[in-house]
Amino acid sequence: MKKKHPLPPFNEETALEKVQMAEDAWNSRDPLKVSMAYSVDTEWRNRIDFIKGREEVQAFLANKWKKELDYKLKKELWGFRGNRIAVRFEYEYRNKQGEWFRAYGNENWQFDENGLMEKRFASINDLPIKESDRKL
């Protein structure tokens, strides 16, 4: 099994590193790259979607970034303990009609012993914004 460093249990430095790695991967908008941080049998709840496994993650993300154009994300460490990390985030995107949105949310992550995320639970809310109100 391939390891994805840093490994749990996390301290502040390694938790911050894990959050930054996730932010960088998601901002690449590359479903394959992002999915490699997750265990093969990862479980997600993303809004109303329940996703199981790396292949479903890839399909979900490919579809997401077809609809959420010019996606830009910022994550912030909220807390950590053992093999778990809590994150708050915001991201901005526009739809195909040119309307801009900012999404706010929280994620709870749980990692396996190889440093792969085995559970991701995300609660997300979207706010319509003007292009002139973009922050990211």
Side-chain angles (χ1 to χ4, degrees), residues 6 26 30 33 50 66 75 90 98 100 103 107 120 133:
W26 279 69
D30 179 340
K33 178 179 181 175
F50 291 83
K66 283 180 187 171
K75 290 185 181 285
E90 62 183 335
W100 282 93
E107 293 176 316
R120 174 186 174 266
D133 293 333

PDB file of all heavy atoms in Angstrom, residues 6 26 30 33 50 66 75 90 98 100 103 107 120 133:
ATOM      1  N   PRO A   6       2.116  13.561   5.123  1.00  0.00           N
ATOM      2  CA  PRO A   6       2.423  13.047   6.457  1.00  0.00           C
ATOM      3  C   PRO A   6       1.372  12.037   6.926  1.00  0.00           C
ATOM      4  O   PRO A   6       0.226  12.054   6.480  1.00  0.00           O
ATOM      5  CB  PRO A   6       2.425  14.287   7.337  1.00  0.00           C
ATOM      6  CG  PRO A   6       1.554  15.268   6.628  1.00  0.00           C
ATOM      7  CD  PRO A   6       1.657  14.966   5.162  1.00  0.00           C
ATOM      8  N   TRP A  26      -6.779  20.227  -4.963  1.00  0.00           N
ATOM      9  CA  TRP A  26      -8.102  20.618  -5.452  1.00  0.00           C
ATOM     10  C   TRP A  26      -8.002  21.799  -6.420  1.00  0.00           C
ATOM     11  O   TRP A  26      -8.737  21.864  -7.391  1.00  0.00           O
ATOM     12  CB  TRP A  26      -9.037  20.945  -4.286  1.00  0.00           C
ATOM     13  CG  TRP A  26      -9.623  19.717  -3.657  1.00  0.00           C
ATOM     14  CD1 TRP A  26      -8.970  18.770  -2.927  1.00  0.00           C
ATOM     15  CD2 TRP A  26     -10.977  19.296  -3.728  1.00  0.00           C
ATOM     16  NE1 TRP A  26      -9.841  17.790  -2.524  1.00  0.00           N
ATOM     17  CE2 TRP A  26     -11.084  18.093  -2.997  1.00  0.00           C
ATOM     18  CE3 TRP A  26     -12.121  19.824  -4.311  1.00  0.00           C
ATOM     19  CZ2 TRP A  26     -12.282  17.407  -2.860  1.00  0.00           C
ATOM     20  CZ3 TRP A  26     -13.325  19.149  -4.159  1.00  0.00           C
ATOM     21  CH2 TRP A  26     -13.389  17.954  -3.450  1.00  0.00           C
ATOM     22  N   ASP A  30      -7.647  18.591 -11.140  1.00  0.00           N
ATOM     23  CA  ASP A  30      -7.296  17.326 -11.788  1.00  0.00           C
ATOM     24  C   ASP A  30      -7.889  16.184 -10.960  1.00  0.00           C
ATOM     25  O   ASP A  30      -7.344  15.849  -9.900  1.00  0.00           O
ATOM     26  CB  ASP A  30      -5.769  17.207 -11.870  1.00  0.00           C
ATOM     27  CG  ASP A  30      -5.289  15.931 -12.508  1.00  0.00           C
ATOM     28  OD1 ASP A  30      -6.058  14.940 -12.578  1.00  0.00           O
ATOM     29  OD2 ASP A  30      -4.118  15.905 -12.925  1.00  0.00           O
ATOM     30  N   LYS A  33      -5.400  13.405  -9.849  1.00  0.00           N
ATOM     31  CA  LYS A  33      -4.453  13.873  -8.830  1.00  0.00           C
ATOM     32  C   LYS A  33      -5.130  13.977  -7.467  1.00  0.00           C
ATOM     33  O   LYS A  33      -4.598  13.521  -6.463  1.00  0.00           O
ATOM     34  CB  LYS A  33      -3.869  15.227  -9.231  1.00  0.00           C
ATOM     35  CG  LYS A  33      -2.910  15.808  -8.222  1.00  0.00           C
ATOM     36  CD  LYS A  33      -2.346  17.140  -8.676  1.00  0.00           C
ATOM     37  CE  LYS A  33      -1.372  17.685  -7.667  1.00  0.00           C
ATOM     38  NZ  LYS A  33      -0.725  18.913  -8.136  1.00  0.00           N
ATOM     39  N   PHE A  50     -23.565  10.969  -1.826  1.00  0.00           N
ATOM     40  CA  PHE A  50     -22.821   9.973  -1.060  1.00  0.00           C
ATOM     41  C   PHE A  50     -21.962   9.209  -2.061  1.00  0.00           C
ATOM     42  O   PHE A  50     -22.492   8.605  -3.000  1.00  0.00           O
ATOM     43  CB  PHE A  50     -23.778   9.050  -0.306  1.00  0.00           C
ATOM     44  CG  PHE A  50     -24.502   9.763   0.799  1.00  0.00           C
ATOM     45  CD1 PHE A  50     -25.636  10.513   0.542  1.00  0.00           C
ATOM     46  CD2 PHE A  50     -24.011   9.711   2.098  1.00  0.00           C
ATOM     47  CE1 PHE A  50     -26.296  11.188   1.559  1.00  0.00           C
ATOM     48  CE2 PHE A  50     -24.662  10.394   3.127  1.00  0.00           C
ATOM     49  CZ  PHE A  50     -25.800  11.122   2.856  1.00  0.00           C
ATOM     50  N   LYS A  66     -16.761  20.507 -14.562  1.00  0.00           N
ATOM     51  CA  LYS A  66     -17.394  20.866 -15.837  1.00  0.00           C
ATOM     52  C   LYS A  66     -18.443  21.943 -15.594  1.00  0.00           C
ATOM     53  O   LYS A  66     -18.744  22.725 -16.484  1.00  0.00           O
ATOM     54  CB  LYS A  66     -18.059  19.640 -16.471  1.00  0.00           C
ATOM     55  CG  LYS A  66     -17.094  18.700 -17.120  1.00  0.00           C
ATOM     56  CD  LYS A  66     -17.823  17.517 -17.730  1.00  0.00           C
ATOM     57  CE  LYS A  66     -16.815  16.500 -18.230  1.00  0.00           C
ATOM     58  NZ  LYS A  66     -17.496  15.249 -18.636  1.00  0.00           N
ATOM     59  N   LYS A  75      -8.472  26.613   1.918  1.00  0.00           N
ATOM     60  CA  LYS A  75      -8.803  25.794   3.085  1.00  0.00           C
ATOM     61  C   LYS A  75      -8.069  26.334   4.310  1.00  0.00           C
ATOM     62  O   LYS A  75      -6.985  26.894   4.184  1.00  0.00           O
ATOM     63  CB  LYS A  75      -8.377  24.333   2.868  1.00  0.00           C
ATOM     64  CG  LYS A  75      -9.214  23.600   1.835  1.00  0.00           C
ATOM     65  CD  LYS A  75      -8.824  22.129   1.769  1.00  0.00           C
ATOM     66  CE  LYS A  75      -9.612  21.373   0.743  1.00  0.00           C
ATOM     67  NZ  LYS A  75     -10.979  21.080   1.136  1.00  0.00           N
ATOM     68  N   GLU A  90     -13.545  27.964   1.770  1.00  0.00           N
ATOM     69  CA  GLU A  90     -14.381  28.731   0.870  1.00  0.00           C
ATOM     70  C   GLU A  90     -13.793  28.594  -0.521  1.00  0.00           C
ATOM     71  O   GLU A  90     -12.576  28.428  -0.681  1.00  0.00           O
ATOM     72  CB  GLU A  90     -14.495  30.204   1.288  1.00  0.00           C
ATOM     73  CG  GLU A  90     -13.210  30.968   1.304  1.00  0.00           C
ATOM     74  CD  GLU A  90     -13.398  32.405   1.804  1.00  0.00           C
ATOM     75  OE1 GLU A  90     -14.513  32.958   1.697  1.00  0.00           O
ATOM     76  OE2 GLU A  90     -12.426  32.973   2.286  1.00  0.00           O
ATOM     77  N   GLY A  98     -22.185  32.422 -16.572  1.00  0.00           N
ATOM     78  CA  GLY A  98     -21.349  33.538 -16.157  1.00  0.00           C
ATOM     79  C   GLY A  98     -21.664  34.071 -14.773  1.00  0.00           C
ATOM     80  O   GLY A  98     -21.093  35.083 -14.355  1.00  0.00           O
ATOM     81  N   TRP A 100     -21.419  34.175 -10.780  1.00  0.00           N
ATOM     82  CA  TRP A 100     -20.381  33.820  -9.810  1.00  0.00           C
ATOM     83  C   TRP A 100     -20.999  33.400  -8.481  1.00  0.00           C
ATOM     84  O   TRP A 100     -22.050  33.920  -8.088  1.00  0.00           O
ATOM     85  CB  TRP A 100     -19.431  34.998  -9.578  1.00  0.00           C
ATOM     86  CG  TRP A 100     -18.459  35.134 -10.706  1.00  0.00           C
ATOM     87  CD1 TRP A 100     -18.590  35.906 -11.819  1.00  0.00           C
ATOM     88  CD2 TRP A 100     -17.215  34.445 -10.832  1.00  0.00           C
ATOM     89  NE1 TRP A 100     -17.510  35.749 -12.628  1.00  0.00           N
ATOM     90  CE2 TRP A 100     -16.639  34.855 -12.042  1.00  0.00           C
ATOM     91  CE3 TRP A 100     -16.529  33.525 -10.031  1.00  0.00           C
ATOM     92  CZ2 TRP A 100     -15.408  34.383 -12.486  1.00  0.00           C
ATOM     93  CZ3 TRP A 100     -15.313  33.047 -10.467  1.00  0.00           C
ATOM     94  CH2 TRP A 100     -14.763  33.474 -11.673  1.00  0.00           C
ATOM     95  N   ALA A 103     -18.724  29.502  -2.246  1.00  0.00           N
ATOM     96  CA  ALA A 103     -19.208  28.399  -1.421  1.00  0.00           C
ATOM     97  C   ALA A 103     -18.421  28.404  -0.119  1.00  0.00           C
ATOM     98  O   ALA A 103     -17.199  28.576  -0.124  1.00  0.00           O
ATOM     99  CB  ALA A 103     -19.025  27.072  -2.147  1.00  0.00           C
ATOM    100  N   GLU A 107     -15.357  20.604   6.529  1.00  0.00           N
ATOM    101  CA  GLU A 107     -15.083  19.205   6.208  1.00  0.00           C
ATOM    102  C   GLU A 107     -14.514  18.520   7.440  1.00  0.00           C
ATOM    103  O   GLU A 107     -13.718  19.109   8.170  1.00  0.00           O
ATOM    104  CB  GLU A 107     -14.042  19.083   5.083  1.00  0.00           C
ATOM    105  CG  GLU A 107     -14.509  19.569   3.752  1.00  0.00           C
ATOM    106  CD  GLU A 107     -13.404  19.498   2.710  1.00  0.00           C
ATOM    107  OE1 GLU A 107     -12.254  19.874   3.014  1.00  0.00           O
ATOM    108  OE2 GLU A 107     -13.700  19.067   1.598  1.00  0.00           O
ATOM    109  N   ARG A 120     -14.596  11.498   4.261  1.00  0.00           N
ATOM    110  CA  ARG A 120     -14.681  12.946   4.056  1.00  0.00           C
ATOM    111  C   ARG A 120     -16.151  13.327   4.125  1.00  0.00           C
ATOM    112  O   ARG A 120     -16.960  12.871   3.316  1.00  0.00           O
ATOM    113  CB  ARG A 120     -14.116  13.338   2.696  1.00  0.00           C
ATOM    114  CG  ARG A 120     -14.296  14.812   2.366  1.00  0.00           C
ATOM    115  CD  ARG A 120     -13.834  15.126   0.935  1.00  0.00           C
ATOM    116  NE  ARG A 120     -14.151  16.484   0.592  1.00  0.00           N
ATOM    117  CZ  ARG A 120     -15.251  16.873  -0.046  1.00  0.00           C
ATOM    118  NH1 ARG A 120     -16.158  15.997  -0.415  1.00  0.00           N
ATOM    119  NH2 ARG A 120     -15.451  18.140  -0.316  1.00  0.00           N
ATOM    120  N   ASP A 133     -17.122  41.187  -6.472  1.00  0.00           N
ATOM    121  CA  ASP A 133     -17.002  40.811  -5.062  1.00  0.00           C
ATOM    122  C   ASP A 133     -16.079  39.619  -4.830  1.00  0.00           C
ATOM    123  O   ASP A 133     -15.934  39.175  -3.694  1.00  0.00           O
ATOM    124  CB  ASP A 133     -18.383  40.480  -4.478  1.00  0.00           C
ATOM    125  CG  ASP A 133     -19.269  41.710  -4.399  1.00  0.00           C
ATOM    126  OD1 ASP A 133     -18.727  42.828  -4.283  1.00  0.00           O
ATOM    127  OD2 ASP A 133     -20.503  41.551  -4.460  1.00  0.00           O
TER     128      ASP A 133
END
